[in-house]
């Protein structure tokens, strides 16, 4: 069937901007974990009980996860109110506000005065601004430029019509009227590089796959997102699934494939369900299937669920996994573009890479290349998490500095000092506070000893121990090593033993040298990316935080207060204001005292759980070497 | 285990790509583990060596060869959760349930497992019980969360 873009668009606009009050709840996984379902049910119940004529709808995640659950209220022709941290109690006040047309000010994060449709450049004005806080000017949103996440939080992920109303599937229509070579040229010109970690130019990869001989080819969407501390892909899949389907269909046409497979990790059940529904609607409306837009091109998309193995994010392991085997990587070449799934030419891209394709096709490669730095074009989505005030998903142009991301957008680390930021997960490294003005792009991060990776940015304050962080990642890779090659299987085990020794205060200085040499050897000798990059967390922390390793070894002291055997906590009398909050959180009743007087900590009862350390706003709890 | 049930599951997965994973996934969901007889049956029906299936069954974290508990508690040990106190949550859960991570309580009610990353890093530290995620947890919240889940269970029964 021929897709009917204009009637879908009309339907979508009616749903996005109905002529009655519309209330939406961000119901992606992070919203749900903050109580969005209770809020959604409470809204439905209130509306029903009062017999209100208004719509209660669902969206994905607006990115500001710290402030979830987020609820938007939109009167016809008026600005949209965005409320944060909504609880069922606030729902009542919101509903009363709707009835009286006088909305509460409590927890009002900001107002939206205008929606911009990236793909078409159209603007939907909702009202003149009336001196109110604009959401767009909130420091969290101000520096952001949304390309891959342009629809997340704006549309109902279960409605193909709303996707179309925001310019969806126009790029597919345009692409199918062009030659595959023209499309590849556009992607090459955009300078888009893979967002899954490697950063390989996407256009080049497509070109290889197109030129590989063979009648049957595949495209795959890598939605394994195994990097701990990252959830950009989940958010896109849950908030805007069609952009991935549209990108894959365009990619399939460009390289000559008729089957697309999305390999999605099993820990993301909502993403899988959202994708299934999106595929169904795309098929029903003729965006997937035979003879799409009358072009003669046929394309179908299937979902394969991962089963919890990090290494399956690596492309050759992922292919083995789809084929029903153990997810063990194999040496490249041959690259998947030559010999991939079932031995056929296969093109694999990451979720965020695919999500960038429709805007590139519609607005042109040059437009995309106009953002970013010399060798890193466009925008990148980061999961800004850890010890940071504003947790969330942020999309910024490449080249934005760490300072802008961590302080301007993220709001800093509060009373505790910023110590390091970890990027690139188990393959990445820790960047110290001294490099805060580093522009974030592929080259600069690599130069600093970390990598871009998939976009996880875990911020750490002075209470994070860098040796413990290195140990955390080596525990991870040790566990996830598939065991096929010796350097990775045995090498990571030896590194872990050394790190355990250091964290337990049992290491000697030569162990440090051994650790470093071992790390360098594994880097050179491992079979796949997992093993080759596994030493990075060790090498980068050794580079910037060597003195912390040495304190563990020479002084048997963990200065950050993480490694249990290597520190004690005390209360500095001169800093203590006697507020008593430490005593309240102490599970051992180890802290005693009287209000307004310095409190005391009984070493014999303390289990060093750090509850007090993280609670004291006056930094009166001190980490000191243990008495022996 | 029931032969017809397994045959039904196999019949449901006709596609080529991801067939093995889909079938084993459904069996795991239904029985909370992969019974040996089920693996033998799948091997015979699909013409795939049992050794390959055994390899797959032991390679992936989502499959297990012994029954998991009725309720699955997953403690996220992603990076953000780690630095925000996941270790402390695990410790209190182990104490409360009197099992170690990876084990199942004697009454078969709860399995406690450590997972890589649930993708809710902004709410760290998080745990999930039967797929429902609880975020921004402190060790002292744990008893309430578990009690709440047990209560829910009694209501369902
Ligand atoms: C150990 C390991 C894990 C990986 N995990 C992922 C992942 O979870 N998601 C992803 O998109 N790419 C992952 N990759 C990168 C893929 O191998 C591949 O480069 C990528 O999917 C290509 O897509 P892109 O060019 O769009 O980035 C991983 C690589 C390695 C070595």
């Amino acid at each position: 069937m021929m897709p009917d873009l204009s009637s879908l668009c009309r339907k979508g606009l009616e749903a996005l901007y109905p002529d009655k009050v519309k209330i939406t709840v961000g119901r992606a996984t992070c919203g749900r974990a903050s109580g969005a379902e209770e809020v959604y049910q409470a809204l439905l119940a209130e509306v029903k009980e009062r017999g209100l004529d208004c719509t209660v709808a669902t969206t994905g995640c607006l990115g500001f996860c710290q402030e979830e659950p987020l609820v938007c209220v939109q009167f016809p022709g008026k600005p949209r109110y965005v409320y944060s941290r909504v609880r069922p109690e606030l729902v009542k006040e919101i509903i009363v506000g709707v009835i009286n047309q006088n909305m509460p000010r409590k927890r009002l994060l900001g107002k939206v005065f205008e929606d911009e449709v990236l793909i078409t450049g159209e603007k939907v004005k909702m009202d003149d601004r009336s001196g109110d806080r604009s959401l767009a000017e909130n420091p969290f949103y101000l520096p952001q430029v949304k390309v891959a996440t342009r629809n997340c939080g704006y549309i109902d992920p279960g409605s193909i019509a709303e996707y179309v109303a925001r310019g969806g599937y126009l790029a597919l229509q345009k692409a199918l009227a062009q030659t595959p070579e023209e499309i590849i040229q556009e992607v090459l010109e955009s300078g888009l590089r893979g967002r899954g970690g490697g950063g390989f130019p996407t256009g080049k990869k497509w070109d290889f796959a197109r030129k590989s001989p063979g009648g049957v080819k595949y495209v795959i969407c890598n939605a394994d997102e195994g990097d701990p501390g990252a959830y950009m892909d989940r958010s896109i899949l849950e908030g805007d699934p069609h952009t991935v389907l549209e990108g894959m269909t365009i990619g399939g046409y460009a390289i000559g494939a008729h089957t697309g497979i999305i390999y999605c990790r099993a820990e993301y059940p909502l993403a899988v369900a959202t994708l299934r529904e999106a595929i169904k609607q795309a098929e029903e409306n003729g965006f997937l299937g035979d003879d799409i837009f009358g072009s003669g091109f046929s394309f179908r998309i299937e979902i394969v669920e991962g089963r919890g193995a990090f290494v399956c994010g690596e492309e050759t392991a992922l292919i083995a996994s789809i084929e029903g085997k153990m997810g063990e990587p194999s040496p490249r070449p041959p690259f998947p573009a030559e010999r991939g799934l079932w031995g056929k030419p296969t093109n694999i891209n990451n979720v965020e890479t695919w999500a960038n394709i429709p805007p590139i096709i519609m607005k042109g490669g040059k437009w995309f290349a106009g953002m970013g730095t010399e060798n890193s074009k466009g925008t990148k989505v980061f999961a800004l998490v850890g010890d940071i005030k504003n947790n969330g998903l942020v999309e910024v142009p490449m080249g934005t500095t760490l300072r802008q991301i961590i302080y301007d957008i993220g709001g800093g680390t509060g009373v505790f000092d910023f110590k390091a930021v970890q990027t690139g997960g188990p393959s990445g490294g820790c960047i110290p506070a001294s490099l805060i003005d580093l522009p974030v792009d592929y080259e600069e991060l690599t130069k600093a000893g970390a990598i871009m990776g998939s976009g996880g940015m875990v911020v750490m304050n002075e209470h994070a121990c860098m040796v413990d962080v290195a140990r955390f990642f080596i525990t991870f890779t040790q566990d996830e090593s598939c065991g096929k090659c010796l350097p990775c299987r045995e090498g990571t085990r030896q590194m872990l033993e050394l790190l355990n020794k250091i964290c337990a205060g049992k290491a000697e200085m030569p162990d440090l040298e051994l650790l470093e040499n071992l790390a360098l050897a594994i880097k050179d000798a491992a079979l796949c990316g997992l093993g080759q990059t596994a030493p990075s967390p060790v090498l980068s922390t050794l580079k910037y935080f060597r003195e912390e390793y040495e304190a563990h070894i020479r002084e048997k002291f963990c200065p950050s207060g993480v490694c249990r055997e290597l520190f004690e906590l005390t209360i500095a009398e001169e800093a203590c204001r006697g507020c008593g909050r430490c005593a309240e959180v102490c599970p051992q009743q180890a802290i005693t005292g009287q209000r307004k007087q310095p409190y005391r900590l009984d070493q014999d009862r303390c289990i060093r759980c750090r509850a007090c350390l993280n609670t004291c706003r006056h930094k009166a709890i001190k980490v000191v070497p243990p008495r022996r | 285990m029931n032969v017809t049930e397994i045959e039904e599951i196999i019949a449901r997965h006709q596609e080529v790509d991801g067939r093995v994973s889909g079938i084993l996934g459904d069996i795991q969901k239904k029985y909370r583990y992969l019974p040996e007889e089920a693996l033998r049956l799948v091997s015979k029906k699909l013409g795939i060596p049992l050794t390959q299936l055994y390899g797959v069954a032991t390679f992936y974290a989502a499959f297990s060869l012994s029954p998991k508990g009725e309720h699955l508690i997953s403690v996220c040990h992603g990076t953000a959760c780690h630095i925000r106190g996941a270790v402390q949550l695990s410790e209190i859960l182990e104490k409360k349930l009197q099992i170690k991570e990876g084990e199942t309580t004697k009454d078969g009610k709860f399995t406690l497992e450590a997972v890589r990353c649930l993708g809710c890093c902004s709410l760290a530290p998080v745990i999930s019980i039967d797929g429902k995620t609880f975020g921004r947890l402190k060790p002292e919240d744990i008893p309430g969360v578990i009690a709440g889940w047990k209560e829910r269970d009694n209501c369902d029964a």
Side-chain angles (χ1 to χ4, degrees):
Chain A
M1 79 174 273
M2 194 69 174
D4 185 353
L5 278 174
S6 57
S7 79
L8 274 173
C9 182
R10 209 173 322 118
K11 219 172 109 191
L13 284 173
E14 276 165 24
L16 284 174
Y17 308 101
D19 49 15
K20 54 182 166 187
V21 176
K22 180 184 176 188
I23 306 175
T24 55
V25 184
R27 290 172 69 209
T29 299
C30 40
R32 289 180 186 211
S34 315
E37 290 310 272
E38 288 76 5
V39 168
Y40 182 72
Q41 293 305 333
L43 275 167
L44 286 177
E46 270 307 305
V47 166
K48 191 166 166 213
E49 198 184 299
R50 296 174 187 252
L52 280 182
D53 182 26
C54 76
T55 319
V56 178
T58 297
T59 64
C61 173
L62 257 176
F64 207 164
C65 310
Q66 183 77 35
E67 298 294 330
E68 300 257 27
L70 291 173
V71 170
C72 300
V73 180
Q74 178 185 301
F75 292 86
K78 292 259 175 68
R80 184 183 303 132
Y81 292 76
V82 182
Y83 289 95
S84 61
R85 296 192 186 230
V86 178
R87 300 277 169 267
E89 307 84 72
L90 185 58
V91 165
K92 268 204 171 42
E93 291 178 42
I94 288 176
I95 293 291
V96 171
V98 167
I99 294 171
N100 301 334
Q101 304 222 1
N102 181 14
M103 296 302 293
R105 316 285 309 164
K106 198 161 94 191
R107 305 262 170 75
L108 180 63
L109 192 62
K111 289 191 192 178
V112 179
F113 297 100
E114 182 180 82
D115 282 344
E116 185 176 348
V117 183
L118 178 80
I119 297 273
T120 58
E122 285 165 359
K123 291 190 173 156
V124 183
K125 267 215 173 326
M126 287 182 260
D127 191 16
D128 287 334
R129 30 183 332 164
S130 43
D132 248 318
R133 272 172 293 188
S134 155
L135 190 69
E137 282 160 24
N138 184 304
F140 181 79
Y141 287 110
L142 190 62
Q144 294 201 45
V145 178
K146 298 199 171 211
V147 178
T149 56
R150 63 196 178 277
N151 291 325
C152 291
Y154 287 94
I155 62 169
D156 178 352
S159 161
I160 193 170
E162 291 187 19
Y163 179 68
V164 171
R166 299 220 0 132
Y169 288 111
L170 283 173
L172 178 61
Q173 187 182 32
K174 180 174 172 186
L176 292 178
Q178 297 179 334
T179 66
E181 287 76 13
E182 285 170 323
I183 295 170
I184 292 175
Q185 192 51 40
E186 202 71 59
V187 177
L188 275 172
E189 239 166 65
S190 75
L192 174 65
R193 294 169 64 176
R195 301 300 194 227
F200 193 81
T202 304
K204 263 197 197 156
K205 201 181 319 194
W206 288 20
D207 196 39
F208 288 143
R210 161 133 207 104
K211 290 186 177 141
S212 255
V216 177
K217 296 181 184 179
Y218 294 98
V219 295
I220 294 177
C221 170
N222 189 342
D224 200 44
E225 193 158 70
D227 180 359
Y231 60 101
M232 305 73 48
D233 296 349
R234 171 179 70 64
S235 207
I236 293 174
L237 296 171
E238 290 177 355
D240 192 18
H242 286 284
T243 186
V244 176
L245 305 186
E246 186 179 4
M248 288 177 74
T249 311
I250 293 169
Y253 175 69
I255 73 152
H258 299 285
T259 306
I261 295 161
I262 302 174
Y263 186 88
C264 187
R265 69 196 294 244
E267 289 85 344
Y268 289 175
L270 184 61
V272 171
T274 309
L275 277 171
R276 284 200 202 287
E277 177 60 26
I279 291 173
K280 190 173 133 245
Q281 292 188 15
E283 284 169 350
E284 285 166 0
N285 287 281
F287 297 108
L288 286 173
D290 290 325
D291 193 20
I292 303 170
F293 280 110
S295 64
F297 174 66
S298 313
F299 196 70
R300 284 182 176 73
I301 295 179
E302 301 164 13
I303 300 171
V304 174
E305 281 182 66
R307 299 293 170 196
F310 172 69
V311 72
C312 287
E314 195 279 335
E315 52 192 26
T316 59
L318 186 151
I319 288 171
S321 179
I322 295 177
E323 291 174 348
K325 302 184 196 134
M326 288 191 281
E328 286 181 341
S330 38
R332 300 171 308 177
F335 287 92
E338 307 153 68
R339 201 159 354 118
L341 183 62
W342 309 111
K344 310 289 183 201
T346 301
N347 180 77
I348 303 189
N349 280 122
N350 163 264
V351 170
E352 190 185 330
T353 313
W354 290 119
N356 277 307
I357 295 298
I360 287 173
I361 297 300
M362 276 312 282
K363 298 177 74 82
K366 282 212 179 63
W367 161 78
F368 192 81
M371 296 179 285
T373 59
E374 186 175 354
N375 292 311
S376 304
K377 302 299 187 190
T379 57
K380 177 76 192 86
V381 188
F382 293 101
L384 186 60
V385 297
D387 297 319
I388 183 124
K389 189 161 158 272
N390 299 331
N391 273 277
L393 271 197
V394 303
E395 184 168 1
V396 288
M398 293 276 192
T400 305
T401 65
L402 281 173
R403 184 187 297 280
Q404 286 170 298
I405 297 175
I406 292 170
Y407 285 96
D408 299 350
I409 299 178
T413 51
V415 293
F416 301 116
D417 297 340
F418 166 56
K419 181 170 182 179
V421 56
Q422 210 281 343
T423 69
S427 311
C430 289
I431 302 171
S434 57
L435 294 182
I436 187 75
D437 288 307
L438 192 80
V440 176
D441 73 5
Y442 290 99
E443 279 69 30
E444 294 290 336
L445 285 174
T446 307
K447 252 193 272 166
I451 55 163
M452 173 77 73
S454 57
M457 235 183 220
V458 185
V459 178
M460 301 179 204
N461 68 23
E462 55 190 292
H463 298 322
C465 165
M466 293 299 121
V467 186
D468 174 71
V469 168
R471 176 171 70 158
F472 165 78
F473 282 113
I474 300 299
T475 309
F476 182 99
T477 34
Q478 212 290 295
D479 212 44
E480 294 294 340
S481 169
C482 76
K484 188 170 177 175
C485 76
L486 180 121
C488 178
R489 184 182 66 232
E490 293 304 323
T492 54
R493 189 198 306 278
Q494 294 305 325
M495 278 203 293
L496 182 57
E497 273 180 23
L498 286 168
L499 286 163
N500 280 334
K501 237 167 111 180
I502 298 173
C503 290
K506 302 210 167 93
E508 303 298 332
M509 283 307 283
D511 288 324
L512 204 54
E513 203 180 318
L514 191 60
L515 179 67
E516 194 160 19
N517 288 337
L518 192 56
L520 292 169
I522 297 168
K523 188 175 163 187
D524 285 340
L527 167 69
C528 83
L530 188 144
Q532 290 155 8
T533 58
S536 303
V538 171
L539 290 170
S540 76
T541 47
L542 273 173
K543 178 170 173 186
Y544 296 115
F545 301 96
R546 196 175 200 98
E547 72 290 350
E548 205 165 329
Y549 280 86
E550 290 181 1
H552 282 69
I553 297 173
R554 291 188 206 271
E555 298 156 41
K556 313 290 175 211
F557 174 40
C558 174
S560 314
V562 174
C563 302
R564 283 260 168 103
E565 312 303 319
L566 305 187
F567 73 95
E568 272 177 15
L569 297 171
T570 67
I571 298 174
E573 286 197 7
E574 67 286 0
C576 178
R577 308 266 181 93
C579 71
R581 283 178 68 185
C582 53
E584 278 164 32
V585 298
C586 178
Q588 292 293 102
Q589 284 89 44
I591 302 179
T592 49
Q594 282 181 347
R595 299 242 162 200
K596 307 222 166 120
Q597 311 244 327
Y599 277 63
R600 279 175 187 283
L601 193 153
D602 176 359
Q603 293 301 340
D604 295 331
R605 306 192 95 170
C606 177
I607 53 168
R608 294 178 292 278
C609 71
R610 308 191 346 142
C612 54
L613 188 65
N614 294 319
T615 301
C616 182
R617 303 276 114 194
H618 312 296
K619 294 206 200 182
I621 313 277
K622 301 287 178 203
V623 177
V624 294
R627 299 161 300 174
R628 244 166 277 277
Chain B
M1 194 206 86
N2 170 327
V3 175
T4 13
E5 278 174 2
I6 303 290
E7 283 173 342
E8 272 168 29
I9 289 175
I10 295 174
R12 227 185 289 149
H13 293 272
Q14 287 304 326
E15 75 288 7
V16 189
D17 307 315
R19 188 169 184 208
V20 173
S21 165
I23 291 171
L24 297 191
D26 282 0
I27 296 175
Q28 172 79 40
K29 210 178 277 167
K30 190 155 187 98
Y31 299 100
R32 289 185 263 125
Y33 78 117
L34 301 175
E36 184 180 328
E37 310 91 279
L39 287 179
R40 286 188 189 282
L41 194 62
V42 174
S43 158
K44 210 166 97 198
K45 290 270 173 191
L46 265 59
I48 293 175
L50 190 61
T51 48
Q52 183 182 331
L53 290 183
Y54 180 79
V56 170
T58 50
F59 186 86
Y60 296 96
F63 299 135
S64 73
L65 294 176
S66 57
K68 287 198 181 174
E70 262 170 65
H71 303 291
L72 184 60
I73 304 179
S74 311
V75 185
C76 180
H77 285 273
T79 319
C81 289
H82 178 75
I83 63 165
R84 310 270 298 170
V87 176
Q88 281 83 351
L89 293 187
S90 288
E91 278 171 4
I92 192 149
L93 275 162
E94 288 182 341
K95 210 158 119 192
K96 176 108 193 120
L97 298 169
Q98 301 200 335
I99 48 173
K100 294 261 164 245
E101 271 176 350
E103 294 178 354
T104 302
T105 52
K106 276 211 195 74
D107 60 5
K109 279 261 181 253
F110 290 101
T111 294
L112 182 64
E113 64 170 21
V115 294
R116 284 300 170 224
C117 182
L118 293 168
C120 287
C121 318
S122 53
L123 307 171
V126 304
I127 69 168
S128 91
I129 309 185
D130 298 338
K132 180 167 164 65
T133 315
F134 299 85
R136 296 191 186 113
L137 288 176
K138 298 200 184 70
E140 59 264 31
D141 301 333
I142 293 290
V145 171
I146 300 291
W149 210 256
K150 278 194 177 147
E151 204 170 287
R152 212 183 93 134
D153 204 29
N154 291 337
C155 299
D156 288 352

